[in-house]
Amino acid sequence: DTPDGWARHLFHELWNLRRLDRIGDHYAPAVIAHWGGGRVAAGTRNLGALLLQVLAAIPDGVMRVEHVSWS
């Protein structure tokens, strides 16, 4: 119900639980995500493919949200 809760839930569900089937619950269908190295993913399907690439590179990686700031 808060930006902090949304961020924690998003990172835990998508990154830690690897629930890529839930991308549509967190992002709009027309999402445009800009990543390091100049990579851009347009749409939830492409975002899922990009997340798979990152997860494949760091299969034991865990995301932890330490601080959320918003205005």
Side-chain angles (χ1 to χ4, degrees):
D1 293 343
T2 66
D4 182 81
W6 174 83
R8 291 178 190 279
H9 183 71
L10 163 81
F11 282 101
H12 179 69
E13 193 166 57
L14 297 183
W15 290 92
N16 298 335
L17 298 179
R18 272 72 165 153
R19 290 295 309 268
L20 301 183
D21 60 312
R22 305 295 296 256
I23 289 174
D25 294 345
H26 299 283
Y27 293 97
V31 61
I32 298 177
H34 298 267
W35 291 73
R39 293 180 289 179
V40 177
T44 53
R45 183 176 177 159
N46 291 329
L47 178 58
L50 185 57
L51 288 175
L52 275 175
Q53 290 176 358
V54 173
L55 292 170
I58 49 170
D60 296 331
V62 175
M63 288 292 247
R64 181 178 59 224
V65 176
E66 293 185 2
H67 179 77
V68 175
S69 178
W70 71 94
S71 61

